[in-house]
Amino acid sequence: TWTASTIKLAMATSLLERDRSGEITLDAKAHRQIADMLAFSSNDAADALWSRYGRAAMVDRFQTVYGMKGLTFVDGFDRYWGFMKCTARDLAALMSYVLDKLDEALTPPA
């Protein structure tokens, strides 16, 4: 099924973890965008974060670390966060990762 806005959770998780490890540095604007993306499903925020922090290169982490093995870009569309499909099992794996493995300290500010 189309991931639609559910993929924003994987994006936020990845960005927060990569920031924590020192791979990237999230500034205050990026933290606000993550909050907007999660709280209001902001596509503008998702677009900005996607462009700034790796684009399609982020997807490998979603597949390998978060267990979204069936996650794919849809043929005939740009390799863009809004044009992906996954299985229900992929979404369950992501949720399990976030609930069971994500460090609570990485929770974005409200």
Side-chain angles (χ1 to χ4, degrees):
T1 188
W2 289 93
T3 60
S5 288
T6 61
I7 202 64
K8 293 172 184 173
L9 178 61
M11 288 175 57
T13 301
S14 174
L15 294 170
L16 293 168
E17 288 181 327
R18 291 168 58 206
D19 179 65
R20 179 78 172 268
S21 73
E23 181 183 337
I24 61 172
T25 301
L26 297 175
D27 56 18
K29 181 178 181 178
H31 281 282
R32 283 191 306 275
Q33 289 170 323
I34 290 169
D36 287 347
M37 185 173 66
L38 293 177
F40 306 110
S41 195
S42 171
N43 289 340
D44 290 340
D47 290 343
L49 293 165
W50 177 262
S51 294
R52 186 172 175 192
Y53 293 104
R55 301 178 186 267
M58 284 194 264
V59 175
D60 181 62
R61 182 181 189 96
F62 304 167
Q63 294 165 325
T64 59
V65 177
Y66 308 147
M68 301 180 78
K69 297 180 187 323
L71 180 67
T72 60
F73 288 101
V74 177
D75 289 337
F77 290 89
D78 292 336
R79 294 176 56 86
Y80 173 70
W81 70 265
F83 300 131
M84 289 191 279
K85 287 189 175 184
C86 70
T87 66
R89 187 166 296 187
D90 294 327
L91 295 175
L94 173 62
M95 291 303 299
S96 292
Y97 183 90
V98 169
L99 294 171
D100 299 335
K101 297 178 182 171
L102 186 64
D103 184 340
E104 286 185 34
L106 295 179
T107 304

